[in-house]
Amino acid sequence: MRYVVVFVMFFGVALCEGIYATFHIQPIKKATLSLSSSGIIKEIFVDVGSHVKKGDKLLALKNDDLKASVEVSLALLEGARIQHSFLKDQFLRYEKSKEAIDKNTFEKIATQYKTSLYELKKAESNYKLQKELLEKSILYAPFSGVISEKFVEVGDGIGAISSKLFILESKEKKALIEFDSKYFTQVKVGNKLENNISKNPIAINKIYPSINDKTKKAIAEGEFLESIPSGIFGDGFIQP
């Protein structure tokens, strides 16, 4: 029996010439999502396993007061625009004939026009601020992917930034590959990793410039094209 085992091991090495490596699958992008606002969660639009596109709504806080502030600031902005437009036309008419009118009257019209411009810019800034505050009460997906973890429910209170809401992972995966550091100079971008979990070899597209301090292994990356869960481990041989 001992000789059979040795023969199988030898035969296996003969078939798999190359540099032995292990790897695990990771998403190309992964983010822990939070909000920069605090409040009570009103709606949650996704769950674990939900596929989302960049810009999709994930969660919203109770924000009726913020919506009202946006409406008020928009009304004030429209009023400021109308007032500025009227005073601008008036100023331009008086400017054409300022030599024929009282100087104080002209300066008064000019001052009103300049003040209206200031009020318009102030109203624009306030409207922009209120819109930003409203937007910050809604969480949007920063990139397309899958919700892999969810930490909150409707009615939960959250604090600005401190609360974890979801973990979002991209659908695109990569293989994080580790191999003996003595082969560091031999492994090149473009080499392929024949492996035990995919019929397709993994093409190496990145080699880390330093050795892992803990494992003393060299590290490389390769794009993993098949649909497979993150976290799966595998091994194989890098073909130079």
Side-chain angles (χ1 to χ4, degrees):
M1 180 62 71
R2 179 183 301 171
Y3 294 109
V4 173
V5 173
V6 170
F7 174 76
V8 171
M9 291 177 63
F10 176 79
F11 185 70
V13 171
L15 286 178
C16 300
E17 292 180 357
I19 298 168
Y20 180 73
T22 60
F23 65 92
H24 65 278
I25 304 302
Q26 292 184 341
I28 290 178
K29 292 182 180 179
K30 183 176 181 178
T32 300
L33 306 182
S34 61
L35 272 175
S36 58
S37 298
S38 57
I40 305 298
I41 296 174
K42 180 181 180 180
E43 294 179 280
I44 296 177
F45 306 102
V46 295
D47 205 340
V48 173
S50 295
H51 293 255
V52 300
K53 294 180 180 179
K54 181 178 179 180
D56 283 353
K57 285 184 181 181
L58 307 182
L59 174 151
L61 303 180
K62 291 184 178 179
N63 54 18
D64 291 344
D65 56 334
L66 297 174
K67 289 179 180 179
S69 295
V70 170
E71 291 176 1
V72 170
S73 63
L74 178 59
L76 292 174
L77 174 58
E78 291 300 325
R81 283 173 176 165
I82 294 170
Q83 181 72 0
H84 173 68
S85 178
F86 170 77
L87 290 173
K88 180 180 179 181
D89 291 342
Q90 186 179 51
F91 170 74
L92 292 176
R93 287 198 306 270
Y94 273 79
E95 189 177 38
K96 290 178 181 179
S97 57
K98 63 181 179 180
E99 301 299 331
I101 61 175
D102 178 72
K103 183 178 180 181
N104 289 336
T105 300
F106 176 75
E107 289 181 351
K108 181 180 179 180
I109 296 298
T111 299
Q112 290 176 339
Y113 165 62
K114 292 177 182 178
T115 300
S116 73
L117 180 59
Y118 166 77
E119 292 296 334
L120 176 60
K121 290 182 178 179
K122 181 180 176 181
E124 288 174 340
S125 296
N126 184 52
Y127 176 62
K128 181 180 179 182
L129 173 61
Q130 298 306 321
K131 281 185 65 179
E132 288 177 352
L133 291 175
L134 178 60
E135 285 297 298
K136 287 180 179 179
S137 70
I138 303 171
L139 179 64
Y140 298 92
F143 54 84
S144 298
V146 181
I147 302 296
S148 63
E149 293 187 60
K150 171 172 162 278
F151 304 103
V152 288
E153 299 295 341
V154 171
D156 287 350
I158 65 170
I161 301 177
S162 61
S163 295
K164 293 195 302 182
L165 305 177
F166 305 99
I167 291 181
L168 176 63
E169 297 184 0
S170 63
K171 297 178 185 177
E172 298 79 17
K173 301 295 193 298
K174 65 182 179 181
L176 194 63
I177 304 163
E178 291 190 337
F179 56 94
D180 196 314
S181 58
K182 69 183 179 182
Y183 298 115
F184 181 81
T185 58
Q186 298 181 35
V187 175
K188 308 294 182 184
V189 170
N191 288 167
K192 294 184 177 180
L193 172 65
E194 301 286 349
N195 65 90
N196 66 333
I197 65 173
S198 171
K199 294 180 180 180
N200 301 311
I202 300 169
I204 293 175
N205 55 25
K206 183 188 297 184
I207 298 174
Y208 288 31
S210 58
I211 306 303
N212 187 302
D213 289 337
K214 295 181 179 179
T215 64
K216 306 304 179 184
K217 299 282 189 178
I219 303 173
E221 281 186 18
E223 185 177 7
F224 197 84
L225 301 177
E226 298 179 27
S227 178
I228 195 169
S230 302
I232 287 181
F233 283 80
D235 63 355
F237 290 85
I238 300 171
Q239 305 301 319

